Amino acid sequence: MSLALIDCNNFYASCEQLFQPRLIGRPVVVLSNNDGCVVARSAEAKALGIPMAAPWHTLTSLARRHGIVALSSNYALYGDLSARVMKVLAGFSPAQEVYSIDECFLDLAGAQPSPGACGRRIRDEVRRLVGISMGVGLGPTKTLAKFANHCAKKRPEFAGVCALGELSPTAIDALLAWAPVSEVWGVGGRLTARLQTLGIHTALDLKRAAPGRIRKTFSVTLERTVRELNGEVCLGFAAGPATRKQILSSRSFGQLITEFAPLEEAVTAYATRAAEKLRRQGLVAGSVGAFVQTNPFRADLPQYHAARHCPLEPTADTRLLAQAALRLLRNLYRPGFAYQKAGVILTNLLPEEKRQPGLFEDGAALTGSQALMAAMDQINRAYGRGTVKLGAEGNDPRWAMRAERRTPRYTTNLEELAVAKAG
DNA sequence: TCTGGGGTCCTAGGACCC
DNA sequence: TCTGGGGTCCTAGGACCC
C-alpha cells in the first residue's frame, strides 16, 4: 500500500494570487465569513508571524505596517479551482478520496516507475496545468502519508515531495523525533496537553507508546493513530463521495439581533440553503434542527444558546423544512438577548429513492413538490441564488454577513469574468 | 466596533425494556 | 428490614479535522 496525501499550499491565498499576479510575493490573508478570522495566509503572511484563525481586528496595525492585503473569502472561485485540481489528480489513479477542498488521498500502489516518482510528476503537472503548487506525502497509512506531507512542506530537502518508502527506518524515526506530537493527524490542542503530562512530546514518542495503554487513558481513536504511525492500516480508504450524515447551514450575523422578525428571515434563508444542498445530493431529511446563540466573546452581555430538533416525514421540500425550522425557532427565541448566530441542521438523511411513502401520503402533492423544487433550483442556478425564494426570507436583510473585501468570481460569474485586456 | 462554517467520530449517561 | 442487572437506543457534548 502506498498512499499519497496531496494538498495545495496556502490554497485560498494561492487562488487569489493566481488571478491577481500583483499579489504574488506580498503578504496576503483570506478572511472567514463576516471578515472575522484569518483562514489562509500566503508564505509572506506566515513569515510575518500571523497565526491561523487570528481575529482580523487584532491585526490591523500589523497590516498597516507591512501592507498586508486582506481579502474576503470567495468560495465560488476556490470551489472551481479545487474541481480543476482534483480532476488533474484523478488522472493519476483510479482510487481518489477527496478529503477537503484542497486535499485528497490517492492510492499510488504499483505506480511506475515508483510511487515517489509519480508524486513528483503530480506536483509538476498540477503546477503546469492549474498554476497551484502543492505538497505530496507518501506512506503506508493515511496518518503516515499526512505526516510525510508535513515533512514535504517543512523540510526543504524534500522539495515538496516526501516518500517514506524511499527512506530507511532510521531516517523515518529521525523525522518523527523532529516533529512535535501536535503535528500528528488527530492530535489537537487538548490531547497534546494531556500527552505531554505523560512524557509524550514528539511523534516518535507517540509511535512508541503502548496502544492498549493509550486506549485506556484516551480513546480508541488515538489508539488507531498509534497503530497507523507503526504502519498498521486502521483508517479505510473511501474512493468516491461519502454520503453525508448531516447538512448544516449557519452564519454569524453582520450585526447583533434582538428582535424576532430578522431572526425569522435568517432561519428561513438558512433552511433554504440547507434544502438546496440536500437536493443537490439527492437526499431527503427525516429530522430538522435549529439553534440560536449570543456572542460568547461579549462578556458584558447576557449569554444564551439553545438548540432543538424535531422529526418529520422525510422531505427535501424547502417550504416544509423552513416551516419546521421556524416552529423550532419560535420555541427557542427569548426576548432580551442580542443574538449573534443561528443555524439549521438537517439529519436522518437518506437517498431520495429509499424514502418510504407515508401511510396517508398524497402522491400528487409529492410530485408537485418535487417539480416545484426542481424548477426553483433550475432558475436559481441560471439566474443566481435567491432569484426565487420564500417570502419569509425578506429582502435586503439587516442580518446579512459582511464581505467587503471579496475579489470577483472570475471563473463562475459571468458579470465578473476575468477578461484579458488588449494592448 | 470587529472573533468562521461545515463536517466526522466517540463516549458518557439517561431512558427504557425485560 | 429488604429495593437487580444487563442490554439497547438515543442524545448531548467533547474532541478532532480543514
Side-chain angles (χ1 to χ4, degrees), chain A residues 14-31:
Chain A
S14 301
C15 291
E16 298 289 353
Q17 288 171 323
L18 194 59
F19 281 85
Q20 288 193 73
R22 66 179 184 85
L23 297 179
I24 294 170
R26 298 193 55 189
V28 175
V29 299
V30 178
L31 305 177

Side-chain angles (χ1 to χ4, degrees), chain A residues 166-181:
Chain A
E166 295 175 350
L167 304 176
S168 71
T170 329
I172 294 173
D173 280 357
L175 285 173
L176 288 163
W178 156 79
V181 71

Side-chain angles (χ1 to χ4, degrees), chain A residues 2 4 92-93 106-119 121-122 138:
Chain A
S2 199
F92 286 89
S93 167
L106 281 186
D107 188 350
L108 293 185
Q112 292 305 324
S114 75
C118 184
R121 212 167 69 231
I122 286 173
L138 290 118

Side-chain angles (χ1 to χ4, degrees), chain A residues 152-222:
Chain A
K153 288 187 166 178
K154 293 289 153 87
R155 306 269 299 220
E157 69 264 34
F158 295 117
V161 182
C162 172
L164 296 182
E166 295 175 350
L167 304 176
S168 71
T170 329
I172 294 173
D173 280 357
L175 285 173
L176 288 163
W178 156 79
V181 71
S182 56
E183 294 298 340
V184 174
W185 193 37
V187 180
R190 306 296 177 103
L191 284 175
T192 300
R194 289 179 61 200
L195 284 165
Q196 279 172 348
T197 67
L198 299 177
I200 296 173
H201 300 281
T202 69
L204 185 63
D205 294 336
L206 186 61
K207 175 189 173 185
R208 290 182 173 162
R213 174 163 168 249
I214 292 292
R215 180 182 202 135
K216 231 184 283 165
T217 317
F218 298 91
S219 71
V220 63
T221 317
L222 193 61

Side-chain angles (χ1 to χ4, degrees), chain A residues 125 231 260 287 315 317 336 339-340 355 382 385 393 400 411 414 422-423:
Chain A
E125 276 295 278
F260 184 69
S287 179
T315 183
D317 189 309
Y339 295 92
Q340 180 234 9
R355 205 180 63 92
R385 173 178 294 153
E393 194 177 319
T411 62
L414 203 56

Side-chain angles (χ1 to χ4, degrees), chain A residues 285-307:
Chain A
S287 179
V288 183
F291 67 87
V292 293
Q293 65 177 60
T294 52
N295 185 342
F297 293 97
R298 292 291 296 267
D300 56 322
L301 294 177
Q303 295 290 314
Y304 174 64
H305 55 97

Side-chain angles (χ1 to χ4, degrees), chain A residues 54-106:
Chain A
W56 172 239
H57 70 91
T58 64
L59 299 174
T60 41
S61 78
L62 188 75
R64 246 194 320 272
R65 274 204 305 284
H66 293 98
I68 297 171
V69 179
L71 303 168
S72 302
S73 313
N74 185 346
Y75 291 109
L77 178 66
Y78 313 147
D80 186 57
L81 286 173
S82 169
R84 295 188 199 182
V85 170
M86 294 305 167
K87 196 173 163 201
V88 174
L89 294 177
F92 286 89
S93 167
Q96 178 185 41
E97 178 184 337
V98 177
Y99 181 68
S100 76
I101 191 162
D102 74 333
E103 66 187 295
C104 79
F105 290 100
L106 281 186

